[in-house]
Amino acid sequence: MKAGHPQSAAERGSLAPAKRPGLSVSSLGCFRRGVVLEVGSVLPRHDDQMQLRNSAQGYGVVTKSLHWLTFALLVIQLTIGYLVDDESGRGRGRGRSGDSGRGRGRGGDDDFTFGFGEGDDTLLSVHVVLGITILLVTMLRFIWRRTTPLPAWASSLSHRERTLAHWTALALYASLIAMPLTGLSLIFISDDLLSLHIASHIALYVAFALHLGLVLKHQLIKKDRLLQRML
């Protein structure tokens, strides 16, 4: 452009900044991990991070939520269960004959009264509701597992560790069904299944210890971030 001469339309167009397809010149862009994010534009969908169903790469949101919901319910349920047992005069079951010598869910002549008001066995009632909830959540996990595939094994797991993880998972599922069913039987029917109820507790603790030990081994010793698959 020569001094003193006005710019032509063509010259003005040649000096204007080039426009990116689909973006206005006034769009504010910022680079983050090599991706341009435009203010006012629709953010990309993060299907890999927020997928509902399982995939070959990892667990989905539903599976993770059901996993941690089960864990939280178990912690609360076991805590309340031992509080019920620690209270004076309480015991499990109503006796084989159904007589009043071992009232339902508690010792003495009193019968178990389900409810949450004054005069009701509130703590034991909460214990019953949680047991039913755990049973329903476990059945939901079974249904969900049949409708969505499991991701591939973590590459850091050896063959023996995969076998251990498989059998501990089966033991945990079995305990999550046996414990509520036998517990409800103890409260509403008889104490005939008391030994099975105790056995389900032992199986749960052993399976959980093996499951937790395997995760901690990889998380703290091998440091391969195995736990991140379920977070």
Side-chain angles (χ1 to χ4, degrees):
M1 179 183 68
K2 296 181 181 180
H5 290 274
Q7 287 180 306
S8 65
E11 289 175 328
R12 288 195 300 270
S14 64
L15 295 177
K19 294 184 179 181
R20 292 178 54 192
L23 298 176
S24 63
V25 178
S26 60
S27 296
L28 176 61
C30 62
F31 287 90
R32 184 179 181 182
R33 296 182 182 178
V35 179
V36 179
L37 301 180
E38 306 293 336
V39 173
S41 63
V42 178
L43 294 176
R45 294 175 58 188
H46 299 285
D47 293 333
D48 292 339
Q49 288 78 14
M50 297 301 295
Q51 60 187 7
L52 293 179
R53 300 173 64 87
N54 299 338
S55 68
Q57 289 72 38
Y59 296 102
V61 173
V62 175
T63 300
K64 294 177 182 179
S65 300
L66 291 174
H67 175 275
W68 292 111
L69 175 62
T70 303
F71 176 75
L73 289 172
L74 268 177
V75 171
I76 300 172
Q77 176 72 321
L78 292 173
T79 302
I80 292 178
Y82 288 113
L83 288 176
V84 168
D85 283 345
D86 286 342
E87 288 190 7
S88 174
R90 286 184 179 264
R92 299 173 189 260
R94 59 181 298 186
R96 289 182 176 82
S97 64
D99 294 335
S100 62
R102 304 180 65 184
R104 285 186 285 183
R106 62 189 303 171
D109 295 332
D110 296 332
D111 287 334
F112 165 60
T113 305
F114 181 84
F116 304 97
E118 185 178 355
D120 297 327
D121 292 303
T122 303
L123 197 61
L124 194 56
S125 297
V126 173
H127 193 59
V128 170
V129 172
L130 285 173
I132 296 174
T133 303
I134 289 174
L135 187 61
L136 293 176
V137 171
T138 302
M139 299 307 298
L140 180 60
R141 291 183 67 175
F142 270 119
I143 296 173
W144 179 252
R145 183 163 180 171
R146 293 187 63 85
T147 60
T148 182
L150 288 176
W153 287 103
S155 58
S156 59
L157 290 175
S158 66
H159 176 71
R160 289 184 178 181
E161 289 174 332
R162 295 178 185 185
T163 302
L164 177 64
H166 172 74
W167 286 106
T168 53
L170 291 180
L172 286 170
Y173 274 117
S175 301
L176 291 173
I177 294 176
M179 252 191 354
L181 288 179
T182 56
L184 292 172
S185 175
L186 291 177
I187 294 175
F188 294 108
I189 303 177
S190 74
D191 64 352
D192 292 336
L193 299 179
L194 178 59
S195 59
L196 184 57
H197 188 66
I198 295 174
S200 66
H201 276 78
I202 296 174
L204 176 74
Y205 293 144
V206 172
F208 177 75
L210 292 172
H211 177 74
L212 182 62
L214 181 61
V215 173
L216 292 179
K217 171 188 174 183
H218 282 264
Q219 190 72 17
L220 302 179
I221 299 176
K222 291 192 172 182
K223 298 185 179 183
D224 53 11
R225 299 170 62 86
L226 181 66
L227 182 61
Q228 299 303 118
R229 287 166 59 89
M230 194 53 73
L231 296 179

